[in-house]
Amino acid sequence: MAKAKTNKEPTGKAPTAAPTATTTYHACYKRYAPLAEALPDGEIEVCRADVRIAFANVKRGVQAACADPARIRRALPELPLDDVLALPDLGRALIFAATRVTAKPASTGEIEAKLAIVIELREPMLTLAETLAKRALLPKDVVAEIRAGSGKYDLASDGMALAHLYAEHAGALCGKHPFTQEELDKLREASEWLLDTLTPDGARRPVARQRSEAEKMRDRLWTLLVRRYADLRKIAYYFHGEAFDEVTPKLQSRLSRSAAADEAEEVEAEEGGGDDPGADETGGAVAQPAKPALPPSP
């Protein structure tokens, strides 16, 4: 196969499916965790990499190699370009997973603070939901099930269920309740955090089990990232030939200090961030193009 010319002028176009600045690390994690879980156990690579360096190289690689998505689609129609363009979000999911591996167990104070949020919002939302259910604006059986039960874990379950209920019936409830979207998001985020942290009897989850599960998910997300980054390097090789390594460096290629500092700032700003209810991921099988020839592994 003849190599494509490498002196094409930049188009200035941005990747059409590039991740948005508002997507949080937690939302990215929830988006990609099911895809990572679906990978065969025997194919998982243990992550021994510095995930921040990998994340920085992913973002720079996508920006450099995918400036003109339409051109890539014409040249490599079988390559899963949407997955490649979303690689920065997959990198954010990996970083979130890595922070869970090293994170300290939640303190009693943190748990009580989250419970206070749920307790404050649960009762007024549930009381109004019962009234709305009597007027056939909400399903009575769902509301009754939320009211039943007790305990910290049940409170968290109630909070998540209520946030979902108000969101699911937003059209029918428009103008019929005083709760803001900010309050609904706050309730949902606190409830999800508690469900991640507590066992059904209200105790904190054992640290050893949390760490083991977190490590496994980190390794699965790393494996998914490595696979999809290989597709990005195929794009770079197709359009840049032997110079592809400069456009899409290996995942652990070192950055300059200033570049590394920029990446650290983004990560630190996002760590512990809230969820993004708009995030979604349909997944799909990765179709491998017949050409170009495979470059060296990332």
Side-chain angles (χ1 to χ4, degrees):
M1 181 196 73
K3 294 177 184 175
K5 294 181 180 179
T6 61
N7 58 350
K8 182 176 177 65
E9 291 296 323
T11 65
K13 297 179 182 178
T16 56
T20 63
T22 57
T23 304
T24 67
Y25 282 46
H26 189 193
C28 292
Y29 177 84
K30 292 179 68 177
R31 173 184 176 184
Y32 284 103
L35 294 176
E37 285 282 8
L39 295 174
D41 292 342
E43 299 178 10
I44 304 303
E45 300 181 26
V46 176
C47 178
R48 298 187 176 90
D50 184 326
V51 296
R52 294 192 181 198
I53 291 177
F55 176 48
N57 285 328
V58 162
K59 290 202 299 181
R60 282 168 171 73
V62 170
Q63 184 177 17
C66 300
D68 191 345
R71 183 181 178 216
I72 297 170
R73 291 186 197 280
R74 289 194 300 269
L76 302 169
E78 295 183 25
L79 190 140
L81 183 58
D82 289 339
D83 289 345
V84 171
L85 294 174
L87 268 168
D89 275 352
L90 179 52
R92 293 180 176 95
L94 174 61
I95 286 179
F96 186 86
T99 61
R100 296 186 76 177
V101 171
T102 58
K104 296 179 180 179
S107 67
T108 301
E110 289 174 312
I111 293 173
E112 293 302 324
K114 296 294 185 182
L115 280 171
I117 294 173
V118 175
I119 291 170
E120 177 186 359
L121 296 172
R122 172 187 176 274
E123 188 56 36
M125 286 188 184
L126 182 52
T127 299
L128 182 55
E130 290 170 329
T131 300
L132 294 169
K134 290 178 182 177
R135 300 193 176 189
L137 292 172
L138 289 176
K140 290 183 179 180
D141 56 337
V142 174
V143 175
E145 186 176 349
I146 295 174
R147 172 64 76 182
S150 61
K152 295 178 181 179
Y153 194 87
D154 188 71
L155 279 173
S157 298
D158 290 350
M160 187 175 68
L162 280 167
H164 176 74
L165 188 66
Y166 275 89
E168 186 179 15
H169 298 275
L173 300 183
C174 183
K176 295 180 174 63
H177 70 80
F179 308 114
T180 65
Q181 187 60 48
E182 181 181 359
E183 287 176 315
L184 291 169
D185 290 343
K186 187 177 179 181
L187 175 63
R188 175 180 46 76
E189 290 163 10
S191 299
E192 289 181 353
W193 185 92
L194 286 166
L195 291 174
D196 280 344
T197 304
L198 299 174
T199 61
D201 63 1
R204 282 175 287 185
R205 296 186 186 276
V207 176
R209 189 177 72 178
Q210 276 192 326
R211 179 175 176 81
S212 175
E213 291 173 355
E215 286 176 335
K216 290 177 182 178
M217 180 53 69
R218 177 205 60 194
D219 293 344
R220 287 180 171 277
L221 288 167
W222 169 252
T223 302
L224 189 62
L225 183 79
V226 169
R227 290 184 175 188
R228 294 191 176 185
Y229 193 68
D231 287 328
L232 176 63
R233 281 165 65 85
K234 291 173 189 176
I235 294 172
Y237 184 74
Y238 187 94
F239 290 106
H240 299 275
E242 296 302 327
F244 82 99
D245 218 14
E246 299 176 10
V247 179
T248 53
K250 292 184 178 181
L251 285 172
Q252 286 300 280
S253 295
R254 290 285 170 177
L255 305 169
S256 66
R257 288 189 177 183
S258 59
D262 291 342
E263 303 312 323
E265 287 179 5
E266 178 184 344
V267 172
E268 289 168 3
E270 285 289 347
E271 284 177 357
D275 196 4
D276 178 0
D280 189 21
E281 172 65 33
T282 58
V286 177
Q288 299 297 333
K291 57 181 183 179
L294 289 175
S297 62

